[in-house]
Amino acid sequence: MSGVARTAICLLRCDLRAHDNQVLHWAQSNADFVIPLYCFDPRHYLGTHCFGFPKTGPHRLRFLLESVKDLRETLKKRGSTLVVRKGKPEDVVCDLITQLGSVSAVAFHEEATQEELDVEKLLCEVCCQHGVKTHTFWGSTLYHRDDLPFRPIARLPDVYTHFRKAVESEAKVRPTLQMADQLKPLAPGVEEGCIPTMEDLGQKDPVTDPRTAFPCSGGETQALMRLQYYFWDTNLVASYKETRNGLVGMDYSTKFAPWLALGCISPRYIYEQIQKYEKERTANQSTYWVLFELLWRDYFRFVALKYGRRIFSLRGLQNKEVPWKKDLQLFDCWKEGKTGVPFVDANMRELAATGFMSNRGRQNVASFLTKDLGLDWRMGAEWFQYLLVDYDVCSNYGNWLYSAGIGNDPRDNRKFNMIKQGLDYDSNGDYVRLWVLELQGIKGADIHTPWALNSAALSQLGVTLGKTYPQPVVTAPEWSRHISQRPQERSPHPRGRRGPAHTPRQHKDRGIDFYFSRKKDA
């Protein structure tokens, strides 16, 4: 290709940002024309593998469309744009190579799970057939894959604590990459293409529920604004460890997960900002805890590299035989928030209405599905895949395996007590009242166990179990000791920045996290 201008195609997938983007950074120095490309892959809008739920639900799709639009605007300000196509990446790239005749390289970030790896393999085959080089990079984690003290990846510990201690003592976080103010232009003749609508991709635009704990838009711009707000404008990060188990409102947690899932914000950038904050403001357990959570996210991605397809297997990482049920009627009760267990139902209704659920909620509804109902854990994992705005394949499946007792949990038979959890983390019932409107008349902590109230009292409040609200589909024996001992009167938490459903201090360090995982203690 001597004498011909070099064109690089930068295929973007879950790396929808300009800052700290090694694919774009490399292309600026190694090509005359650069084509940043995003493909709406039709395979992402089919059904899930086992149970056929839509792979991409309305909340995440809206967030994705916003993120794509935002990146296009960011790149335009720097003399480029984001080329958008509907189609399989390997087909779109093949068409561009054929059309232009000047493509010298295709660059992309590597992913960790099978469907994405299959696409990478097909891309490499297309490039090989056309004599085009491929350049791949690793950019999805805080710690780079090549910097881990476990080589090969098969040596990755099966217990998070062992991983964390080794990485923190033996590895370093690489510095972020700065993007040039002026980017290389598109190759002549390349149209930027239209960004599809929700309807084009088979979804309706969801109505924004005013109760949502995540009223944010997608995109790098919003992600960076959120960090600025949470760290520098409010200092919320300095009390994060105390508030992170909240249930209501925007400010109880960082809410970085949806942007991290699409790569709108770099985990290394968050790390650098934590370092800066600790130097200029304060360093405490809360600031460290943000990094602790990012390490959990790293860990599940490396677990996926180690175990491959096994993270999707019914038997899990432990190859454990469990007599899971596939009772669709029970599953419908769970997914619709009609189990008759108010704390579970409130969380499931929040998920359906907003695409978001707190960490505390996720661990409880997962435990309820797998341990109380005994349902196939993959039903829950695929339902989360469908609805979560912050769905990340590695974190989602890693955490569901953990909850099901067939993943990276060093403790056997971990089970959450739904009533104790509700009383601990929603002591006055404010969160349940926000989402389970049928029970709004029940005051205080009684709302967590309506079946324990006499029918006359319920009737006065307009509640008839089995009619206006379900009888519980299951009652666990360990619940009873928390029904008789619970306080009858609890004064509500003062309404303030942390919201009405607060985290009692004695419980602030407990529990696992979905996507932002934390200290594992049920």
Side-chain angles (χ1 to χ4, degrees):
M1 277 193 190
S2 58
V4 179
R6 299 167 303 162
T7 299
I9 297 173
C10 296
L11 178 66
L12 304 178
R13 296 185 290 174
C14 292
D15 47 0
L16 297 178
R17 64 180 183 268
H19 76 277
D20 196 32
N21 190 317
Q22 195 170 2
V23 169
L24 294 175
H25 189 270
W26 175 86
Q28 292 307 307
S29 304
N30 291 275
D32 303 296
F33 300 109
V34 175
I35 303 174
L37 171 67
Y38 184 83
C39 298
F40 285 89
D41 189 333
R43 292 166 293 205
H44 294 171
Y45 304 95
L46 303 175
T48 56
H49 182 71
C50 294
F51 300 99
F53 310 132
K55 277 187 178 179
T56 305
H59 302 287
R60 187 163 74 260
L61 179 54
R62 178 170 65 183
F63 197 80
L64 170 62
L65 291 170
E66 291 165 346
S67 300
V68 168
K69 289 173 187 173
D70 181 72
L71 183 56
R72 174 174 278 184
E73 290 304 311
T74 297
L75 294 178
K76 278 185 172 180
K77 291 172 185 174
R78 302 185 187 207
S80 179
T81 188
L82 180 63
V83 173
V84 171
R85 298 287 187 269
K86 277 183 70 178
K88 298 176 181 178
E90 62 271 23
D91 295 340
V92 173
V93 167
C94 183
D95 290 344
L96 284 170
I97 291 172
T98 304
Q99 172 196 339
L100 296 173
S102 63
V103 176
S104 57
V106 173
F108 54 85
H109 279 118
E110 295 178 45
E111 290 291 337
T113 45
Q114 195 61 49
E115 290 180 7
E116 292 74 20
L117 295 176
D118 289 345
V119 170
E120 292 172 21
K121 182 180 178 184
L122 292 168
L123 281 166
C124 290
E125 290 174 0
V126 164
C127 290
C128 184
Q129 289 165 8
H130 290 84
V132 173
K133 293 180 180 178
T134 54
H135 293 270
T136 64
F137 305 92
W138 183 263
S140 58
T141 50
L142 177 60
Y143 287 89
H144 196 285
R145 175 185 59 189
D146 296 342
D147 298 339
L148 295 179
F150 318 107
R151 304 292 296 274
I153 198 68
R155 292 183 55 231
L156 182 81
D158 286 327
V159 176
Y160 167 74
T161 303
H162 301 163
F163 162 81
R164 177 183 60 81
K165 289 181 176 178
V167 167
E168 288 180 335
S169 62
E170 299 177 45
K172 288 185 177 180
V173 176
R174 296 184 181 187
T176 56
L177 300 168
Q178 301 304 309
M179 183 58 65
D181 292 333
Q182 190 66 23
L183 302 180
K184 298 286 178 66
L186 293 189
V190 177
E191 299 291 331
E192 67 175 8
C194 294
I195 297 173
T197 64
M198 296 278 298
E199 291 74 18
D200 291 338
L201 296 167
Q203 292 283 357
K204 293 181 180 178
D205 198 6
V207 176
T208 299
D209 193 300
R211 297 169 291 179
T212 183
F214 189 76
C216 305
S217 302
E220 178 180 19
T221 303
Q222 292 293 317
L224 298 177
M225 285 173 60
R226 174 62 182 175
L227 185 145
Q228 172 69 28
Y229 169 82
Y230 199 82
F231 285 22
W232 302 103
D233 296 346
T234 63
N235 291 307
L236 285 166
V237 68
S239 57
Y240 173 69
K241 194 161 184 269
E242 287 73 38
T243 64
R244 64 193 176 84
N245 276 310
L247 300 167
V248 178
M250 265 294 287
D251 289 348
Y252 64 78
S253 66
T254 66
K255 302 295 196 298
F256 292 155
W259 290 295
L260 278 165
L262 289 180
C264 298
I265 193 167
S266 159
R268 297 191 299 192
Y269 177 75
I270 297 173
Y271 174 84
E272 287 184 356
Q273 288 291 301
I274 284 285
Q275 299 280 298
K276 186 170 186 278
Y277 186 91
E278 289 183 334
K279 184 178 180 181
E280 296 181 12
R281 299 267 176 101
T282 188
N284 59 20
Q285 284 192 329
S286 288
T287 54
Y288 167 71
W289 218 253
V290 175
L291 305 181
F292 184 88
E293 294 167 351
L294 288 175
L295 262 179
W296 263 109
R297 182 177 173 275
D298 276 17
Y299 182 57
F300 281 132
R301 192 150 296 241
F302 297 135
V303 166
L305 284 180
K306 176 178 178 177
Y307 283 101
R309 291 180 185 271
R310 278 175 64 182
I311 69 169
F312 306 110
S313 163
L314 182 64
R315 291 169 168 261
L317 308 186
Q318 302 177 17
N319 197 30
K320 193 173 179 181
E321 182 70 44
V322 179
W324 302 110
K325 296 184 291 188
K326 289 186 174 64
D327 186 322
L328 293 180
Q329 189 172 357
L330 267 183
F331 178 72
D332 285 346
C333 292
W334 179 81
K335 73 180 177 67
E336 293 167 11
K338 295 180 180 177
T339 66
V341 183
F343 193 54
V344 173
D345 292 346
N347 278 287
M348 294 306 297
R349 294 182 192 191
E350 180 187 14
L351 174 63
T354 71
F356 192 81
M357 189 193 297
S358 68
N359 155 64
R360 180 56 44 186
R362 296 181 200 203
Q363 30 186 320
N364 273 282
V365 301
S367 177
F368 186 78
L369 180 115
T370 58
K371 302 296 175 62
D372 289 300
L373 300 183
L375 293 177
D376 184 337
W377 66 272
R378 298 171 303 175
M379 300 172 91
E382 291 189 3
W383 190 250
F384 271 29
Q385 176 178 356
Y386 164 44
L387 280 179
L388 278 175
V389 69
D390 59 3
Y391 171 74
D392 170 293
V393 57
C394 302
S395 295
N396 186 56
Y397 278 86
N399 274 301
W400 272 97
L401 288 165
Y402 192 110
S403 283
I406 52 177
N408 298 96
D409 189 351
R411 272 176 51 182
D412 282 335
N413 301 316
R414 183 191 306 270
K415 183 186 180 191
F416 282 82
N417 181 320
M418 295 300 111
I419 307 308
K420 183 178 187 303
Q421 289 281 306
L423 293 172
D424 282 350
Y425 296 101
D426 185 28
S427 58
N428 199 50
D430 292 335
Y431 173 71
V432 169
R433 265 183 291 280
L434 185 66
W435 291 102
V436 186
L437 304 185
E438 310 95 298
L439 303 180
Q440 277 188 331
I442 302 177
K443 303 299 182 187
D446 284 340
I447 197 169
H448 289 291
T449 52
W451 63 87
L453 302 176
N454 65 61
S455 55
L458 287 174
S459 183
Q460 286 184 335
L461 300 170
V463 178
T464 305
L465 294 183
K467 291 186 178 179
T468 63
Y469 184 70
Q471 295 277 4
V473 294
V474 64
T475 52
E478 66 269 16
W479 296 356
S480 59
R481 62 180 179 266
H482 299 288
I483 297 173
S484 58
Q485 294 175 9
R486 68 167 184 239
Q488 292 303 306
E489 286 286 335
R490 294 194 186 218
S491 45
H493 187 67
R495 289 180 182 269
R497 182 180 289 160
R498 297 182 190 178
H502 71 293
T503 303
R505 180 168 294 275
Q506 66 270 28
H507 299 291
K508 67 179 183 291
D509 294 341
R510 310 185 78 184
I512 67 170
D513 271 9
F514 284 80
Y515 300 16
F516 281 127
S517 294
R518 306 173 174 102
K519 183 177 177 181
K520 311 283 188 179
D521 180 9

